[in-house]
Amino acid sequence: MRTTNPIASLLGSSPFKPLQAHMRIVNECVTEVPALFDALVAGDNTALVEQKDKIFAKEGEADTLKHDLRAHLPKSLFMPVDRRDLLELLDLQDTIANVAQDIAGLMTERDMSVPEGMAEPLAAFVLRCIDTCNHAATIIEELDELIESGFRGRDASRVQEMVEALSKLEDETDDMGIALAQSLFAMEDDLKPVSVMFWYQMLQWIGDLADYGEKVGDRMLLLIAR
């Protein structure tokens, strides 16, 4: 009998299909983050709240799919992939959406303003971190080819190269984040201490988007290695 459960239906063809579907939603979630900062810089509170709502909705969508996938993932899979590896990869993906939600929540719960001179480098930093997540999502789309090739050969080499490129992207975000933190440090005496504290937290969370994107790539390398 054909199942009416969409997750079970996806799992029937491959456990990677819902994993890929989850990462697409996560990527849609983080792609809304730059507009959040645009609204903050423009002082447009209406747009800020609208972006927050979009991010929260996507995070909720990703969360629902994550729980469904966990509930329906078979105990044993007829393929060279450990169930625990898939679940860990799923958790890493989900953390990216969680961080995006944290950023949106902080920006709307507190009346924040971008310190003078930080708007442009901050926008560049945010976009680079989103690039890293986009790249991680592209790597997850390679799972189909990896399955067909048995996680070996040209497809595996291509994914390894993509993960190396992902690591370089993440390194760039580290440098950009450090430069912004140094700018903030130089302005500490002119800003309210609480504002400084929140901005250091914000910079950390933005960088975390790239960090978890890189961890998704690293987990893919582990799948190939096994």
Side-chain angles (χ1 to χ4, degrees):
M1 178 183 296
R2 178 174 294 181
T3 177
T4 57
N5 184 296
I7 300 300
S9 178
L10 282 171
L11 281 167
S13 56
S14 163
F16 296 112
K17 295 294 185 187
L19 191 75
Q20 290 172 321
H22 178 267
M23 190 59 189
R24 288 182 203 120
I25 296 172
V26 168
N27 203 37
E28 290 171 4
C29 179
V30 297
T31 300
E32 298 292 346
V33 172
L36 196 68
F37 285 89
D38 290 343
L40 180 68
V41 171
D44 189 339
N45 194 57
T46 300
L48 189 68
V49 172
E50 287 176 354
Q51 284 305 118
K52 185 267 290 182
D53 290 343
K54 289 180 183 177
I55 290 169
F56 271 57
K58 283 296 176 185
E59 192 280 337
E61 197 178 335
D63 225 26
T64 299
L65 185 52
K66 178 190 71 175
H67 291 306
D68 284 347
L69 178 53
R70 279 177 170 172
H72 293 90
L73 193 66
K75 297 295 182 185
S76 61
L77 300 171
F78 187 64
M79 59 177 58
V81 177
D82 192 292
R83 183 175 185 273
R84 290 171 300 180
D85 289 335
L86 286 182
L87 290 175
E88 288 177 8
L89 187 53
L90 178 67
D91 284 342
L92 288 172
Q93 293 181 173
D94 203 61
T95 302
I96 295 173
N98 291 341
V99 173
Q101 185 184 46
D102 289 340
I103 291 170
L106 181 59
M107 286 179 65
T108 51
E109 289 167 7
R110 190 173 188 280
D111 184 18
M112 299 183 74
S113 58
V114 180
E116 188 176 350
M118 280 184 58
E120 188 174 331
L122 179 66
F125 178 47
V126 171
L127 287 175
R128 210 56 174 156
C129 290
I130 303 306
D131 285 344
T132 307
C133 296
N134 293 163
H135 196 76
T138 302
I139 292 172
I140 292 298
E141 294 294 337
E142 294 291 318
L143 276 166
D144 294 324
E145 284 74 16
L146 284 173
I147 294 169
E148 291 181 4
S149 64
F151 293 86
R152 296 289 185 271
R154 187 179 303 172
D155 292 320
S157 297
R158 185 174 66 253
V159 169
Q160 287 173 337
E161 291 171 0
M162 293 173 73
V163 172
E164 289 173 6
L166 175 63
S167 180
K168 290 179 181 177
L169 277 175
E170 197 278 334
D171 287 344
E172 288 181 33
T173 66
D174 283 343
D175 293 339
M176 296 168 85
I178 290 170
L180 277 163
Q182 290 173 337
S183 296
L184 190 60
F185 178 76
M187 290 186 282
E188 278 188 357
D189 291 342
D190 301 322
L191 299 172
K192 293 179 181 178
V194 176
S195 294
V196 172
M197 181 187 70
F198 276 103
W199 270 109
Y200 277 127
Q201 179 64 76
M202 183 64 75
L203 293 178
Q204 177 64 52
W205 281 346
I206 297 168
D208 283 347
L209 292 174
D211 287 343
Y212 282 103
E214 183 184 38
K215 287 178 181 177
V216 167
D218 290 342
R219 181 59 58 177
M220 283 287 286
L221 281 185
L222 191 60
L223 287 180
I224 293 171
R226 290 180 178 177

